[in-house]
Structure formats: C-alpha cells, structure tokens
Amino acid sequence: METLDLFSQIENDLPATKGDKDLGCKWNFVQKPRGTMKRDREDSSFDPFKDNEVRCLVREYIQNSIDAAQKKDDNRSKKVLVTFSYGEMVCADYPNLIQSLIGRLKACSERSQQLPGSKDIYKSKYEFLNSRKNSTIGFLKVSDYYTTGMNYVDDDDVPSAFDSCVHCSSSSYKPDGGYAGGSHGLGKTVGFVNSPFNAVYYSTKDDESGQTFGEGVVRLCTHKYRNENGEKVLFEADAFYNKGGAPNSGDDIPVVFRREKSGTDAFVLGMEENAEDVKTMKKELLRGFFYAIYMELLDVDICGELFTKANIGDKMLEYFPEPDYTNIDIDRSNRPELNFNPRPYLFEIAMCSSDENHMRFTTDDFPGQFPTLGHATLQIWKSEDITAAKSLDKIIFMRNKLMTVEVRKYNSSKGFYGIMVCDGEGARYLRMLEDVRHDKWDVKELKDMSDEDKRNARKALRELDSFQKECIKVLFPEEHDKQLEIKSLKKRRIGKFGSRSEENEEDNIWPTTNVIEKEKNQSSKSGLFTIFEETKGRKKKKKKGTITDVEPETDPVPRQEPPTPPTPTPPTPTPPTPEPPKKAPTYVEGNEGEDDGIGETENPNVEREREIKLDGRNKRLKPLHNEDFACKLEIRVPKDYYDCRLVLDIQADEGLFPLDLKNVSAGYQIRSGVSNEIYGFDLKADTPNVIKFTPQENVTLYSLNIKVYGH
C-alpha cells in the first residue's frame, strides 16, 4: 500500500489555476477542540443507504420535492417537476472546491491506516479525486420546480429549512402539519453516499422572499492536517464550502450552482453518468411514484426522458415486463419493495374503474370503526391468474404523498393485488412509524416519541390492519368463513439463505373458537399456521412422517393409559443440613421487572423476580368449546415458583400489542390498569398448571406472545 505523507501538502502538486470560479468560497474545516467526540470512520448514518444507493437517492430527493410543493389558490398542491441531469466541471477552475479536498482525503486515509482494525475507505476516494485533478469531474444535478425552495434565517434559535437540510444531522424541518415525507432527518445523507468523495452542494431560491442561498457540505472523518501555522493538528470531520460563517447568497454563489427560479438544486459532486444508474433511476421512479405521476402530483425528467400522466402507461410497458405470477422466488423475498413489478398496480388498479374484479373501499364504508386512522382507500384487483399460479397476494401502502412505502405480501393466494392510500389524520402518525428508507412502518421507530404519539401511532397501525382485513372479508366471504390464518410463536431470524428458526421448539398457536373445516401444518418456508376445526371433530397437529388422527367432538372418553410400573424405592439419603427458610417477598406495584434499578434489597434472602424461560413443549395454548372461557393455557415448570405473573401480548407483523383480558379462571387476578397481565399465583413443578381466560375482543390473524415471571 502506498504510504501517504501527511505533510506533503497538496498545494505543491496542483497545476496552474486556469480561472478561479470559486469566487472566494472554500472548505472551512475547523480545528477540533480537545475533549470533543472524534469520528474515526465514515459517518454511520450512511449505512442504511449503501446497499441500494441510487434507489434511495431517487426516492428521497423526489419525496423532498413533493413535500415542498407550492400551493394553489384552493390550498391544494401544485404538480411538481423534478429533473435529473448530469454535468461536469474542470477541476482546475475550482481549486478550493475540488483540488483542496485531495489533501484532506489523503489525511483521512492515513488516519484510517493508523487505527488497528480500521478499514481504509478513504484511499479509493483519494485516488479517484487525485486522478482527476488535471481533468474534469462529473456531478448529478437534481432540481425541482413549482416548489417553495428553502428559507434561511441567520439565527440559531429560529429553525429554517436550509439550516435543517445543510447544517444539521438527524434534523427534519417539515412545516406541513406532520404530513410531509421524512421525520428522521437522515435521508439527506443519500447524496453523500452517492458522491465518491462525500460532497454535495445545495442551491435554493426561497419562493416567499425571493432570496437565493448556496453552500457545499463534505462529510469525512476526523483527520490530522497542517493548520495556518504549519502545525499538525486534528480537524473536525465535516466542513462547509462558503465564504465563511454562513451560506452564500446572490452573486457570491459560484455561477455553476446559481438558482434562477424558486425551488432547490442538489449537486452530488463526483457522481458521473452511466447507463446502469440511469436505468435504475427510471425503474425506481416507476416503482416508487407511478401513482403520484398518474394522479398528477408529479412529473419527472431523467436525462431528457419525461415521465408524465400522458405517457406513464407507455413507460411502464417499456421498463417492466408482463408479470410472471408463478415467480415464487420474488414473491417470497424478504425485501419485496426492491423487486416487485408495479405494472399490474398501474394498469389493473390505478387505471381501472370499478367492476366485479376491480373494487374500491374507503374507511367511510365502515363508519366509526377507524377514528384514529381517518380517511383511507383500498383498491383491489381480483385475478384468477394470481390464484392459478399460487402467487402470494400483495398490497402496496402509501400515504397522502402517493409514494410507495410498504409492499406487504400475505401468506395466501386468494388472487388479489391492492393499493392502500392513507390520506387522513392517520397519515401523520404513520409518518412517525416510517423507517429511514421509507420502506415500512415499524413501531420500533416510536422510541423517541411522546407517550400520546406512541399510543395514537400504534392505534392507527392497528386500524390500518383491521381496515384491510374488513375489506378482504367483504371480497372473500366464503374464504373468511372457511379458514383463519395466524402466525406461529416461533421466533425467526433472516439470513442470506432465507428464514430459519432460532430455537428448535414446538409451535404455540393462537386458538380460535370459530367452527371451520380442517387443520393444516406449518409451512416450512413461511413460518405461518392455519388452524381449521370441525363441528364433528378436530384434527391434531401432526409431526413429520405421521398420520393425522381425528377425534370425535362428543363427550370425551378418558384415555386408558398403560399401567405405570412400580417405582423402585431408592436408598434413604443422608438428610442435608437445612437452610433457613426464605421469606416470600411482598408484591409491590410497579416493581415487577427483571431489574428495577434499585439495587440490592435489605434482605439478601429475598429472591428477585425473573422471567421463567419456557420452550414450546412447556407452554401449550388450546381453544375451549362450550365453556365459560375461550382459551386454556398449560404451563409446566422444572421447579416451583411463587408469586408469579403472566404477560400476554399479541404478536403482529408490526410489533407487540397488549391482549386485553375480559375474565380469568378462579384463583387468578387481572392486573388493574394493565389488562394483559394475570398475577398472584404459584407454579408447581412437574404438573400442568392450567390458566383459563377470555380476551375482550375477538383476536384474528395474530399469534400470542407469552411471558411468565416468578420468584
């Protein structure tokens, strides 16, 4: 590996400057104060976008432009135009912008080499820029029109769009009542990920004030470099390209970056045109925004090719083939949003009017059922082609901005595809649930939200799930009567070879008291269960290689067990020295976790509550028929536990939700204010401990997550 000389200043290697087009702007790296945090590697916020960086760039930049749409007189958004184009600049014309970064990249590479175990990602960045110093570099320019642009206020106490976008990390300024696309403030990093040396220039014209602002940003790692006095010192990882202190405006902005009309330009420096990237941009545009284009919220120009409502059908035919409904590998991929074919969603759903195979539902069809979700629409296309191919059913989900957010595939082949658009009050809460790539709604994203927002977001997600289930029940009433699909409790992990179980345990399933026809085994690939029951009998779940038995559902006859052989009497052991008895702790409301942070109790003999780890063989959940309770839970433990409690949560695709209990069998109590907890009982070893209970509401399409705690 080439040795990088830190003090070999890059200025000595620069060619004669042809013409300074920097206009006095330069990278203002700041000497790092002692005692502040270093960043000795690439910014970790880049990581979520590295696998599909061009896709993420298209989605993030277009979404930002839609969020900034100007308003019509009736307060509706104007149609936004976004353009993607490539350009180039002569490096010698921009000695401060381009050539001065070569030395910084060199220093970052040397810094990485000095750290044991650190990967030197800056060597390739240095080599790229150094090889171009006597020629040109390219850039990708993403521009939007009929947008508001970004305002800027030179006051740290006053938030502004430009300050949030350019100067802040993990900051999102969206003055749209909470309905805008982003919420993490991390999407802006897609530009740095796509730049071969992590540099982006932003230029904007504010629609309201008419002011223009421009500034460059580079994000490297902490590095040592020579200061103005020639001393080797540590510099901060990031820097801004300006005349010092604030973004440039007006004639101080280099000419190549100046913005003439309202809106914003983002220049991804060093990103050069290639056919594969351009094709990816066009396909990801169609996957992510075909509905926004069709509904005339958006026009897009990619390298001179225009995508509008007038030609969206032709473009879809050009870039996507006839759907192959038999392609099970794509159906069952773990990231369906990366490879789904949007063609049937455009032609068979967006462009079709209602008939027996094309139906449209709104939450208004179910008055009062979905108050938190608000207005939402589900358009469904039924097709025998999907059913015949046994292809998985799918619905793609969008919010009010009409960008594809989630592609949800179901473990069924009823024969439908759908588009769900959530454009009511719930869209604000769904935005909070969106991950950084805007690919799914996940309750894990709520960790920093207020308790009220967490409750409402979870409720909106549950109502969204219930709404689509109600619509499917209307479409397939006979299927709903016949079977009920639910998830197994088995924990899954995803590896590069597919889904597999973490633990080799028997599966527990959420029972139903619905009377239906037959029982299926677990699908080895999907990890899903379907329970079927009969009026005259129920089939038991069979193990591999065995035949399913059928038991009549008449009065059960006690099973004749074989006689138990006499147990030999063991020799009498010498009794051990008795230990002093342990005193059972008094239960204190709120101190039921594994570690409450209080520390040791005053009495060291008092055992602290711990979770009792049980596999599937030691906790069995069964449905009850013609009884006062819906379910029976049998728990077996290897030793006695006292003062126990049971926590029941619903395990849905979007996370855990408490199972509200209506009643529980004698000897057990439901926790006041925590209606998914049963407490105040003991568990005996080597015997089935039986707890019967009934939930407040019917629970369908879910599995039950069971946790037991005791002393």
Side-chain angles (χ1 to χ4, degrees), residues 13 64 92 117 161 199 244 304 325 350 355 360 389 454 475 480 587 606 623 657 673:
D13 301 327
N64 288 342
Y325 299 110
D355 57 34
R360 184 177 186 273
K454 287 179 182 177
L475 282 170
H480 177 72
Y587 178 79
V606 175
F657 303 103

Side-chain angles (χ1 to χ4, degrees), residues 386-393 410-416 485:
I386 303 173
T387 309
K390 297 183 179 179
S391 180
L392 300 181
D393 303 317
Y410 298 80
N411 192 50
S412 63
S413 298
K414 293 181 172 68
F416 70 85
E485 292 188 359

Side-chain angles (χ1 to χ4, degrees), residues 203-215:
S203 182
T204 189
K205 183 174 182 178
D206 178 22
D207 178 52
E208 185 173 346
S209 67
Q211 291 181 294
T212 57
F213 303 99
E215 195 165 21

Side-chain angles (χ1 to χ4, degrees), residues 106-159:
K106 203 174 185 183
C108 289
S109 178
E110 184 175 69
R111 176 79 173 175
S112 298
Q113 293 175 31
Q114 292 172 342
L115 298 171
S118 179
K119 183 178 179 181
D120 182 9
I121 63 168
Y122 291 99
K123 184 174 186 294
S124 61
K125 299 177 187 294
Y126 158 72
E127 290 174 344
F128 169 84
L129 204 56
N130 191 50
S131 68
R132 306 298 182 93
K133 65 185 179 185
N134 295 321
S135 57
T136 62
I137 64 162
F139 58 81
L140 173 69
K141 178 183 178 182
V142 184
S143 305
D144 58 37
Y145 301 89
Y146 311 108
T147 55
T148 60
M150 295 188 289
N151 70 318
Y152 174 72
V153 179
D154 192 9
D155 186 338
D156 290 337
D157 295 326
V158 179

Side-chain angles (χ1 to χ4, degrees), residues 19 52 56 65 80 131 220 223 239 244 252 255 269 295 319 385 440 478 608 615 638 697:
N52 301 279
C56 292
S65 297
V80 170
S131 68
L220 305 177
H223 58 280
D252 288 334
V255 175
L269 302 180
M295 297 302 291
Y319 289 102
D385 291 338
K440 63 179 178 179
E478 70 286 351
R608 298 177 63 80
D615 62 19
E697 301 175 353

Side-chain angles (χ1 to χ4, degrees), residues 561-623:
E561 298 290 340
T564 304
T567 304
T569 304
T572 304
T574 304
T577 304
E579 296 181 0
K582 295 179 179 180
K583 182 180 178 182
T586 302
Y587 178 79
V588 180
E589 186 80 31
N591 290 346
E592 56 277 285
E594 286 191 8
D595 184 3
D596 55 15
I598 297 174
E600 293 293 328
T601 57
E602 292 183 1
N603 184 352
N605 292 323
V606 175
E607 293 181 0
R608 298 177 63 80
E609 183 189 67
R610 293 288 184 267
E611 181 180 354
I612 305 170
K613 299 294 185 181
L614 301 174
D615 62 19
R617 294 167 295 180
N618 294 313
K619 52 182 180 183
R620 296 179 182 275
L621 187 63
K622 300 180 180 179

Side-chain angles (χ1 to χ4, degrees), residues 378-432:
L378 176 60
Q379 294 171 268
I380 291 280
W381 167 52
K382 295 166 57 177
S383 172
E384 293 182 358
D385 291 338
I386 303 173
T387 309
K390 297 183 179 179
S391 180
L392 300 181
D393 303 317
K394 295 189 192 71
I395 296 177
I396 59 177
F397 291 81
M398 306 175 179
R399 293 192 292 106
N400 52 315
K401 303 300 182 178
L402 302 187
M403 179 180 78
T404 300
V405 173
E406 187 170 321
V407 180
R408 191 177 296 181
K409 52 189 174 61
Y410 298 80
N411 192 50
S412 63
S413 298
K414 293 181 172 68
F416 70 85
Y417 282 0
I419 297 176
M420 173 85 81
V421 179
C422 309
D423 54 0
E425 175 68 16
R428 183 163 63 89
Y429 298 115
L430 294 174
R431 170 181 174 259
M432 299 175 185

